[in-house]
Every structure is written in structure tokens, then in C-alpha cells.
Amino acid sequence: AQTVTQSQPEMSVQEAETVTLSCTYDTSENNYYLFWYKQPPSRQMILVIRQEAYKQQNATENRFSVNFQKAAKSFSLKISDSQLGDTAMYFCAFGSNSGGSNYKLTFGKGTLLTVNP
Amino acid sequence: DAMVIQNPRYQVTQFGKPVTLSCSQTLNHNVMYWYQQKSSQAPKLLFHYYDKDFNNEADTPDNFQSRRPNTSFCFLDIRSPGLGDAAMYLCATSKGRANSPLHFGNGTRLTVT
């Protein structure tokens, strides 16, 4: 079974600065997908960014980018030019590409990010 | 806009009184999921439907049931809520492939008194 570990329960950053959230995972599979989801206070969870394990190039979405280190099983999220609206709980998630239920995600415990003005 | 809608947003029930939470989607996705999320914790998958096929997680209590009468709707039934069942319940959908992101509803906050 896969496990996803987010070692930072809480983080804070000043507005306009850059912050990196950590995520590591454990799997014996070679082909899989990794996701970062954002859950703002009292609002719905939304996808931030997605990475396919077979791609060496790190995914980017505007101010959000990942540092995917497959050998180290690490998938960190970098937020540049942090904005107050980035304040949220961030979840790292793993999606397997094999097995009978390859559409279920395994979530980490989350990192609560606070952006301070 | 295509979306996932959960009703109600807040639900209060009494200890032991059955309660039903609802979820609807306009995305026409194959898979509908129910997650339980307690404060500051990761969402915990209770069960999911792939089309009409029901898939229960091994550690989901029997107290939790689900129905999916059609593609668009899915219900979570808690037969005898206990105080420990107070949580946010999240409905999500996906196309049913490993690279398919989940689309979440706003959640229903359940309080058990």
C-alpha cells in the first residue's frame, strides 16, 4: 500500500515571498500520478497541480510549481509570490496507475499554510 | 458551470437519529466518492461508486451506507450517528482513471448532538 507523508503540519509565509511545502511518498510502482490539492477555510478542495511520474519535467501552473524527485520519492510544492488567498490547507495525494482501483487517491495529512500580510 | 453540489451545507442530527447527505454532479463522471474529514486531518475514503458498482473500504463502519440511483446523484446514509461521526463529509467525482483529478463539492458539516 502507498503512503503519503507531509512532515510540516503548519507553515507561514509573508505575502509576496516564496514557500515550499514538502511531501514524500512510498510506493513500489513505477507509473503513478501525484497531486497537490488546496482546501481554503470553509471552501471546497480544488486541484492545484498534477505530475505524471513518467515525466521528468516538473509541472508548473502560474505561481505554483513542483520539485519532483522520483528516486527520492519526493514531491514538493513551491508557491511563488504568495498571496493572502493562498492561505489554505494543502494536501499531497498519490494516484496509482495499476490495480483494480486505480482511481482512488491516497492523501497526506495536510499542511496548513498561512500567508501573512 | 459543471460542478459537484452537496446538500445541505450544515446538518445537525441527534445521537442515533438516521441522517442522509446528498451529492449531485453535472460533470457526468463515472466515479463518485464519499470522504469523511475530521478537523485538521486528511480526507478518509469511506466508499465509492464506479458507475453502479459499489466499493466499500475495509474499515468503513457498517453504520455508513450509500446509494447511487443514477449517474448524477449519490447519497450517504448514516443509520445511527454517534458523536464520533461528527465531521465534514466530502463528495467527489472523477472520470475514473489514475490521472483524473477529483472534483470536490463544498462538503456537508455534520453535527451530532
Side-chain angles (χ1 to χ4, degrees):
Chain A
Q2 292 81 15
T3 59
V4 178
T5 302
Q6 294 179 250
S7 59
Q8 305 148 316
E10 295 186 34
M11 294 189 72
S12 63
V13 64
Q14 292 299 119
E15 196 174 8
E17 293 187 348
T18 295
V19 63
T20 298
L21 308 184
S22 301
C23 174
T24 58
Y25 57 93
D26 188 23
T27 184
S28 59
E29 300 182 26
N30 191 49
N31 193 11
Y32 48 87
Y33 301 87
L34 296 162
F35 306 83
W36 278 99
Y37 284 86
K38 168 186 177 181
Q39 188 177 37
S42 301
R43 296 181 64 185
Q44 70 186 124
M45 186 153 3
I46 58 173
L47 178 69
V48 175
I49 200 166
R50 171 176 51 184
Q51 174 80 42
E52 290 88 348
Y54 62 85
K55 289 187 176 180
Q56 292 186 341
Q57 186 174 6
N58 289 322
T60 62
E61 288 287 343
N62 301 314
R63 298 182 294 107
F64 298 87
S65 62
V66 299
N67 183 6
F68 174 48
Q69 301 290 329
K70 190 172 184 179
K73 297 180 182 174
S74 170
F75 182 60
S76 60
L77 174 69
K78 185 172 82 171
I79 306 174
S80 304
D81 186 24
S82 298
Q83 300 176 359
L84 297 179
D86 295 333
T87 292
M89 182 73 86
Y90 287 82
F91 292 98
C92 178
F94 175 100
S96 172
N97 200 36
S98 64
S101 299
N102 61 353
Y103 41 85
K104 296 196 300 184
L105 296 186
T106 300
F107 285 88
K109 290 187 176 181
T111 296
L112 179 61
L113 176 68
T114 302
V115 180
N116 298 309
Chain B
D1 288 340
M3 55 177 51
V4 181
I5 302 170
Q6 290 187 245
N7 285 305
R9 189 74 187 270
Y10 300 93
Q11 177 73 57
V12 180
T13 190
Q14 293 178 338
F15 182 95
K17 185 175 182 180
V19 65
T20 295
L21 310 182
S22 71
C23 177
S24 64
Q25 58 140 338
T26 59
L27 297 161
N28 203 33
H29 282 171
N30 298 96
V31 190
M32 296 188 76
Y33 309 80
W34 279 105
Y35 285 88
Q36 179 192 64
Q37 186 181 26
K38 297 190 175 180
S39 180
S40 302
Q41 294 185 20
K44 177 182 181 299
L45 182 62
L46 295 174
F47 28 57
H48 69 277
Y49 274 94
Y50 194 119
D51 295 329
K52 295 183 179 180
D53 293 332
F54 176 71
N55 297 270
N56 199 30
E57 294 299 300
D59 58 354
T60 298
D62 293 340
N63 197 26
F64 292 87
Q65 304 287 324
S66 186
R67 296 170 283 136
R68 189 178 185 185
N70 53 51
T71 300
S72 301
F73 285 87
C74 195
F75 300 98
L76 169 62
D77 301 310
I78 308 177
R79 294 191 297 185
S80 181
L83 297 179
D85 297 329
M88 176 72 84
Y89 289 88
L90 301 174
C91 175
T93 72
S94 84
K95 293 181 180 179
R97 295 187 291 273
N99 64 342
S100 302
L102 270 60
H103 296 257
F104 285 86
N106 281 319
T108 294
R109 171 76 64 187
L110 178 68
T111 300
V112 182
T113 61

